[in-house]
Amino acid sequence: MPEPHSPSLGDATRGRILFGGDYNPEQWPEETWHDDVRLMRDAGVNSVTLGVFSWARLEPQPGVREFGWLDRLMDLMHGNGIGVVLATPTSSPPPWMGRLHPETLPRDEDGRTEWWGSRQHFSHSSAVYRRYAAAITEDLAVRYSGHPALRMWHINNEYCTYDWGDEAEDAFRGWLQAKYGTLDALNEAWGTAFWSQGYGDWYEVLPPRRAHYMKNPAQVLDFKRFTSDALLECYLAERDIVARHSPHIPVTTNFMAVWQGLDAWQWAAQEDVVSIDVYPDPRDPFGAQYGALVHDMTRSQAHGGPWMVMEQAAGPVNWRGVNHPKPAGLNRLWSLQAVARGADAVCYFQWRQSRQGSEKFHSGMVGHAGEHGRTFQEAKRLGAELALLGDKVADTRVEAPEIAVLLDWNAWWASAQDGRLSSEADCPEIVRAWHRALWEAHTVADFAHPEHDLSAYKLVVVPHLYLMTDAAIDNLLAYVHQGGTLVAGFQTGIADEDDRVREGGMDRRLRELFGIRTLHEWWPLDAGETVDAEGFHGTLWSEEIEAADDVDAVTPYKGGELDGLPAVLRKGRAWYVSTLPEPHALRTLLADIAAGAGVRPTLAGLPAGVEAVRRGGLLFLLHHGRDRVTVPVPGRHRDLLTGAEVIDTVELGRYGVAVLEVAA
Ligand code: GLA
């Protein structure tokens, strides 16, 4: 019997790096399609994503189908050797749906309806919406499953909606009944003895709608869990339809980068291909590090295998306050960075820049300036380079990182509640600060869920797991017990999975692990305020901790209320950092701890601003600065991008990239 085949990105890439993007030809007259194809071929585009927002075009009236235009496009793409990632159009229902079935429209926490006229105006819990979504998905799958252009299914787009409406209320209640079984269990988990919130009937239990004052945090936490699950049900319903018709075609849905709404660990487990939309700000001095973080997260969700940049911008976006273009070379640099960190697809929103609608000032691969514009010319160069790399890179893995950064959406959700001590302490920003320190120390890290098997890592970093399950705590203890090195930031393991503060203010076993006898008080800092510690300044937070007798080393706070108390504690291989050291101090601290754990930088002697990543036996060097630098690379190499021989050093100019293969 042949092994059952699970589809993967390899089925779509077929040994190449996918290059292309969202293509919205319904916005253009058909003559333009032929010009599009000419330019796609010119630029080496081998993949387009069709149909993301095509519902009104495909189903102009309830139950009516207009597939002719899409048939012509699928054939046109196939005839030109361009594969299609075909989207289900279910993120933007046609206006008739809201008019005929107003219950399909979501409501916000104030009970206000989100009307059509934009996008994503669907209630995840609406039975009517789900029925129409399933029907159009079924018909697309029947029609195109066997089409030779089809490479991948793309379900919906950036699932991200919340709904406090009536059907969502029923669904939330059902979700809670399944979770808790009895009202007593719910009352206990939500701590409803506080403020007279005890529920005597399931019909009293609501989504956390507008209230006079702070809402019950456990209720809000469960509502976030429920929302992620309700959206996942929508995804799974469509995924199962397309998978039934084309079991050999991989399925994905595109995540927003570092997005709070979906528990990406759970979601990624349900995808054949993990794909991401990533939009670093070209003006952000640490935009490259943000990109690296997103790439590392996405690769980790793909279990280290190849993943997909489904969307990025060739130039400016149009949804920031001020939207800056990408300087020459930056699009190439950040695209190759994604490839270095494991991407097998470099795709854009969108192919041709719109002339109408909300995104007419959002860049496209073909901008308003057309084929002679810098944006297209740069895209064309990139397409040629990706084609050069394809057969050496596609389907290979990033050299296994020795560091894992732990992240859990439950901890993020719980730490972002009303009623906390500091609204300055933002989980993703804290995670970013720790990741940045690792990135600047020239090490590559994975992300992991706190209950994952961590035994392959030499160092585990916990930036901000405010909430931890017992299983996660057991996992960390076992990891250290088996010889792993652990470093944790402030407020680790404060709450259990119901957001109940653990006895003593922090889990007892974790206190023992780190050598904390008593955690007396938390001392959050104001924005911009610092606290002195021996050898560095802390930011954001500090803690009044009494060290246990068996602690091995302490770096104390200096001056102020916490004078002499531990800022950093070490007991054996477990480190606890009760503040957020300023960037260079965190980098030094982490680099030292990593070195102690046997982790080495990817390459010795790298200049600041040069990133090095090894993938598939190749060494990617990415220069994020503008001045020329010399990078030591002992031995003889060949640069796959230029064909040049490299002996011992390589020169990189502004935003320069080299992809080095050891010379035979
Ligand atoms: C998201 C969406 C796209 C587009 C871009 C703009 O990623 O999926 O449809 O709106 O944002 O940056």
Side-chain angles (χ1 to χ4, degrees), residues 404-422:
V405 178
L406 302 192
L407 177 70
D408 177 11
W409 265 256
N410 289 275
W412 179 359
W413 290 328
S415 70
Q417 304 272 19
D418 288 342
R420 61 200 152 133
L421 290 183
S422 170

PDB file of all heavy atoms in Angstrom, residues 404-422:
ATOM      1  N   ALA A 404      14.836  28.468  21.983  1.00  0.00           N
ATOM      2  CA  ALA A 404      13.386  28.591  21.787  1.00  0.00           C
ATOM      3  C   ALA A 404      12.870  29.736  22.648  1.00  0.00           C
ATOM      4  O   ALA A 404      13.243  29.865  23.819  1.00  0.00           O
ATOM      5  CB  ALA A 404      12.677  27.308  22.169  1.00  0.00           C
ATOM      6  N   VAL A 405      12.042  30.563  22.046  1.00  0.00           N
ATOM      7  CA  VAL A 405      11.350  31.637  22.777  1.00  0.00           C
ATOM      8  C   VAL A 405       9.913  31.169  22.962  1.00  0.00           C
ATOM      9  O   VAL A 405       9.251  30.780  21.991  1.00  0.00           O
ATOM     10  CB  VAL A 405      11.371  32.951  21.956  1.00  0.00           C
ATOM     11  CG1 VAL A 405      10.608  34.048  22.687  1.00  0.00           C
ATOM     12  CG2 VAL A 405      12.800  33.387  21.666  1.00  0.00           C
ATOM     13  N   LEU A 406       9.440  31.184  24.196  1.00  0.00           N
ATOM     14  CA  LEU A 406       8.102  30.649  24.449  1.00  0.00           C
ATOM     15  C   LEU A 406       7.034  31.736  24.316  1.00  0.00           C
ATOM     16  O   LEU A 406       7.209  32.867  24.761  1.00  0.00           O
ATOM     17  CB  LEU A 406       8.030  30.027  25.846  1.00  0.00           C
ATOM     18  CG  LEU A 406       9.023  28.896  26.122  1.00  0.00           C
ATOM     19  CD1 LEU A 406       8.641  28.172  27.418  1.00  0.00           C
ATOM     20  CD2 LEU A 406       9.117  27.902  24.967  1.00  0.00           C
ATOM     21  N   LEU A 407       5.953  31.324  23.708  1.00  0.00           N
ATOM     22  CA  LEU A 407       4.847  32.248  23.462  1.00  0.00           C
ATOM     23  C   LEU A 407       3.551  31.452  23.549  1.00  0.00           C
ATOM     24  O   LEU A 407       3.454  30.367  22.995  1.00  0.00           O
ATOM     25  CB  LEU A 407       4.995  32.843  22.057  1.00  0.00           C
ATOM     26  CG  LEU A 407       3.890  33.788  21.596  1.00  0.00           C
ATOM     27  CD1 LEU A 407       3.957  35.098  22.384  1.00  0.00           C
ATOM     28  CD2 LEU A 407       4.020  34.091  20.105  1.00  0.00           C
ATOM     29  N   ASP A 408       2.582  32.031  24.243  1.00  0.00           N
ATOM     30  CA  ASP A 408       1.280  31.375  24.356  1.00  0.00           C
ATOM     31  C   ASP A 408       0.206  32.452  24.267  1.00  0.00           C
ATOM     32  O   ASP A 408       0.261  33.442  25.003  1.00  0.00           O
ATOM     33  CB  ASP A 408       1.197  30.633  25.698  1.00  0.00           C
ATOM     34  CG  ASP A 408      -0.165  29.991  25.920  1.00  0.00           C
ATOM     35  OD1 ASP A 408      -0.974  29.936  24.968  1.00  0.00           O
ATOM     36  OD2 ASP A 408      -0.424  29.543  27.058  1.00  0.00           O
ATOM     37  N   TRP A 409      -0.736  32.242  23.345  1.00  0.00           N
ATOM     38  CA  TRP A 409      -1.789  33.246  23.174  1.00  0.00           C
ATOM     39  C   TRP A 409      -2.613  33.423  24.453  1.00  0.00           C
ATOM     40  O   TRP A 409      -3.061  34.519  24.757  1.00  0.00           O
ATOM     41  CB  TRP A 409      -2.681  32.877  21.983  1.00  0.00           C
ATOM     42  CG  TRP A 409      -2.227  33.565  20.739  1.00  0.00           C
ATOM     43  CD1 TRP A 409      -2.823  34.650  20.168  1.00  0.00           C
ATOM     44  CD2 TRP A 409      -1.071  33.293  19.940  1.00  0.00           C
ATOM     45  NE1 TRP A 409      -2.097  35.056  19.060  1.00  0.00           N
ATOM     46  CE2 TRP A 409      -1.032  34.241  18.898  1.00  0.00           C
ATOM     47  CE3 TRP A 409      -0.058  32.343  20.004  1.00  0.00           C
ATOM     48  CZ2 TRP A 409      -0.034  34.257  17.924  1.00  0.00           C
ATOM     49  CZ3 TRP A 409       0.944  32.360  19.037  1.00  0.00           C
ATOM     50  CH2 TRP A 409       0.944  33.309  18.014  1.00  0.00           C
ATOM     51  N   ASN A 410      -2.800  32.352  25.204  1.00  0.00           N
ATOM     52  CA  ASN A 410      -3.569  32.477  26.443  1.00  0.00           C
ATOM     53  C   ASN A 410      -2.894  33.446  27.416  1.00  0.00           C
ATOM     54  O   ASN A 410      -3.556  34.243  28.077  1.00  0.00           O
ATOM     55  CB  ASN A 410      -3.732  31.110  27.114  1.00  0.00           C
ATOM     56  CG  ASN A 410      -4.671  30.234  26.333  1.00  0.00           C
ATOM     57  OD1 ASN A 410      -5.878  30.311  26.508  1.00  0.00           O
ATOM     58  ND2 ASN A 410      -4.133  29.425  25.437  1.00  0.00           N
ATOM     59  N   ALA A 411      -1.583  33.363  27.479  1.00  0.00           N
ATOM     60  CA  ALA A 411      -0.841  34.258  28.363  1.00  0.00           C
ATOM     61  C   ALA A 411      -0.931  35.700  27.863  1.00  0.00           C
ATOM     62  O   ALA A 411      -1.072  36.652  28.636  1.00  0.00           O
ATOM     63  CB  ALA A 411       0.617  33.808  28.458  1.00  0.00           C
ATOM     64  N   TRP A 412      -0.851  35.848  26.549  1.00  0.00           N
ATOM     65  CA  TRP A 412      -0.960  37.182  25.931  1.00  0.00           C
ATOM     66  C   TRP A 412      -2.337  37.769  26.246  1.00  0.00           C
ATOM     67  O   TRP A 412      -2.460  38.909  26.720  1.00  0.00           O
ATOM     68  CB  TRP A 412      -0.718  37.028  24.434  1.00  0.00           C
ATOM     69  CG  TRP A 412      -0.804  38.251  23.591  1.00  0.00           C
ATOM     70  CD1 TRP A 412      -1.108  39.528  23.992  1.00  0.00           C
ATOM     71  CD2 TRP A 412      -0.575  38.321  22.184  1.00  0.00           C
ATOM     72  NE1 TRP A 412      -1.092  40.374  22.908  1.00  0.00           N
ATOM     73  CE2 TRP A 412      -0.775  39.663  21.794  1.00  0.00           C
ATOM     74  CE3 TRP A 412      -0.232  37.382  21.217  1.00  0.00           C
ATOM     75  CZ2 TRP A 412      -0.633  40.086  20.468  1.00  0.00           C
ATOM     76  CZ3 TRP A 412      -0.086  37.808  19.907  1.00  0.00           C
ATOM     77  CH2 TRP A 412      -0.288  39.137  19.538  1.00  0.00           C
ATOM     78  N   TRP A 413      -3.399  36.974  25.978  1.00  0.00           N
ATOM     79  CA  TRP A 413      -4.762  37.462  26.230  1.00  0.00           C
ATOM     80  C   TRP A 413      -4.932  37.865  27.694  1.00  0.00           C
ATOM     81  O   TRP A 413      -5.471  38.925  27.995  1.00  0.00           O
ATOM     82  CB  TRP A 413      -5.779  36.371  25.889  1.00  0.00           C
ATOM     83  CG  TRP A 413      -5.914  36.068  24.432  1.00  0.00           C
ATOM     84  CD1 TRP A 413      -5.761  36.945  23.396  1.00  0.00           C
ATOM     85  CD2 TRP A 413      -6.236  34.805  23.824  1.00  0.00           C
ATOM     86  NE1 TRP A 413      -5.969  36.301  22.192  1.00  0.00           N
ATOM     87  CE2 TRP A 413      -6.272  34.998  22.416  1.00  0.00           C
ATOM     88  CE3 TRP A 413      -6.516  33.532  24.319  1.00  0.00           C
ATOM     89  CZ2 TRP A 413      -6.562  33.962  21.519  1.00  0.00           C
ATOM     90  CZ3 TRP A 413      -6.812  32.506  23.425  1.00  0.00           C
ATOM     91  CH2 TRP A 413      -6.833  32.722  22.049  1.00  0.00           C
ATOM     92  N   ALA A 414      -4.483  36.981  28.595  1.00  0.00           N
ATOM     93  CA  ALA A 414      -4.730  37.240  30.020  1.00  0.00           C
ATOM     94  C   ALA A 414      -3.929  38.446  30.502  1.00  0.00           C
ATOM     95  O   ALA A 414      -4.389  39.198  31.370  1.00  0.00           O
ATOM     96  CB  ALA A 414      -4.368  36.000  30.834  1.00  0.00           C
ATOM     97  N   SER A 415      -2.739  38.643  29.920  1.00  0.00           N
ATOM     98  CA  SER A 415      -1.898  39.750  30.398  1.00  0.00           C
ATOM     99  C   SER A 415      -2.393  41.092  29.867  1.00  0.00           C
ATOM    100  O   SER A 415      -1.949  42.142  30.327  1.00  0.00           O
ATOM    101  CB  SER A 415      -0.442  39.531  29.974  1.00  0.00           C
ATOM    102  OG  SER A 415      -0.323  39.701  28.579  1.00  0.00           O
ATOM    103  N   ALA A 416      -3.303  41.050  28.897  1.00  0.00           N
ATOM    104  CA  ALA A 416      -3.756  42.312  28.276  1.00  0.00           C
ATOM    105  C   ALA A 416      -5.090  42.778  28.841  1.00  0.00           C
ATOM    106  O   ALA A 416      -5.819  43.510  28.197  1.00  0.00           O
ATOM    107  CB  ALA A 416      -3.868  42.099  26.762  1.00  0.00           C
ATOM    108  N   GLN A 417      -5.415  42.347  30.035  1.00  0.00           N
ATOM    109  CA  GLN A 417      -6.731  42.656  30.606  1.00  0.00           C
ATOM    110  C   GLN A 417      -6.759  44.020  31.296  1.00  0.00           C
ATOM    111  O   GLN A 417      -5.725  44.553  31.689  1.00  0.00           O
ATOM    112  CB  GLN A 417      -7.064  41.613  31.677  1.00  0.00           C
ATOM    113  CG  GLN A 417      -7.022  40.199  31.185  1.00  0.00           C
ATOM    114  CD  GLN A 417      -8.353  39.768  30.600  1.00  0.00           C
ATOM    115  OE1 GLN A 417      -9.178  40.604  30.240  1.00  0.00           O
ATOM    116  NE2 GLN A 417      -8.560  38.486  30.493  1.00  0.00           N
ATOM    117  N   ASP A 418      -7.996  44.503  31.469  1.00  0.00           N
ATOM    118  CA  ASP A 418      -8.186  45.663  32.351  1.00  0.00           C
ATOM    119  C   ASP A 418      -7.787  45.260  33.775  1.00  0.00           C
ATOM    120  O   ASP A 418      -7.838  44.087  34.125  1.00  0.00           O
ATOM    121  CB  ASP A 418      -9.672  46.045  32.411  1.00  0.00           C
ATOM    122  CG  ASP A 418     -10.139  46.679  31.119  1.00  0.00           C
ATOM    123  OD1 ASP A 418      -9.274  47.118  30.338  1.00  0.00           O
ATOM    124  OD2 ASP A 418     -11.357  46.713  30.902  1.00  0.00           O
ATOM    125  N   GLY A 419      -7.458  46.242  34.579  1.00  0.00           N
ATOM    126  CA  GLY A 419      -7.229  45.970  35.993  1.00  0.00           C
ATOM    127  C   GLY A 419      -5.837  45.463  36.308  1.00  0.00           C
ATOM    128  O   GLY A 419      -5.549  45.072  37.433  1.00  0.00           O
ATOM    129  N   ARG A 420      -4.936  45.484  35.301  1.00  0.00           N
ATOM    130  CA  ARG A 420      -3.562  45.044  35.584  1.00  0.00           C
ATOM    131  C   ARG A 420      -2.771  46.226  36.145  1.00  0.00           C
ATOM    132  O   ARG A 420      -3.251  47.369  36.140  1.00  0.00           O
ATOM    133  CB  ARG A 420      -2.927  44.485  34.330  1.00  0.00           C
ATOM    134  CG  ARG A 420      -2.827  45.497  33.219  1.00  0.00           C
ATOM    135  CD  ARG A 420      -2.658  44.830  31.879  1.00  0.00           C
ATOM    136  NE  ARG A 420      -3.208  45.650  30.819  1.00  0.00           N
ATOM    137  CZ  ARG A 420      -2.588  45.907  29.687  1.00  0.00           C
ATOM    138  NH1 ARG A 420      -1.385  45.429  29.472  1.00  0.00           N
ATOM    139  NH2 ARG A 420      -3.154  46.639  28.765  1.00  0.00           N
ATOM    140  N   LEU A 421      -1.563  45.951  36.569  1.00  0.00           N
ATOM    141  CA  LEU A 421      -0.807  47.003  37.249  1.00  0.00           C
ATOM    142  C   LEU A 421      -0.186  48.007  36.288  1.00  0.00           C
ATOM    143  O   LEU A 421       0.068  49.148  36.668  1.00  0.00           O
ATOM    144  CB  LEU A 421       0.286  46.390  38.125  1.00  0.00           C
ATOM    145  CG  LEU A 421      -0.236  45.639  39.355  1.00  0.00           C
ATOM    146  CD1 LEU A 421       0.918  45.137  40.194  1.00  0.00           C
ATOM    147  CD2 LEU A 421      -1.159  46.514  40.188  1.00  0.00           C
ATOM    148  N   SER A 422       0.099  47.593  35.069  1.00  0.00           N
ATOM    149  CA  SER A 422       0.711  48.535  34.128  1.00  0.00           C
ATOM    150  C   SER A 422       0.212  48.278  32.717  1.00  0.00           C
ATOM    151  O   SER A 422       0.383  47.180  32.186  1.00  0.00           O
ATOM    152  CB  SER A 422       2.238  48.404  34.148  1.00  0.00           C
ATOM    153  OG  SER A 422       2.792  49.142  33.073  1.00  0.00           O
TER     154      SER A 422
END
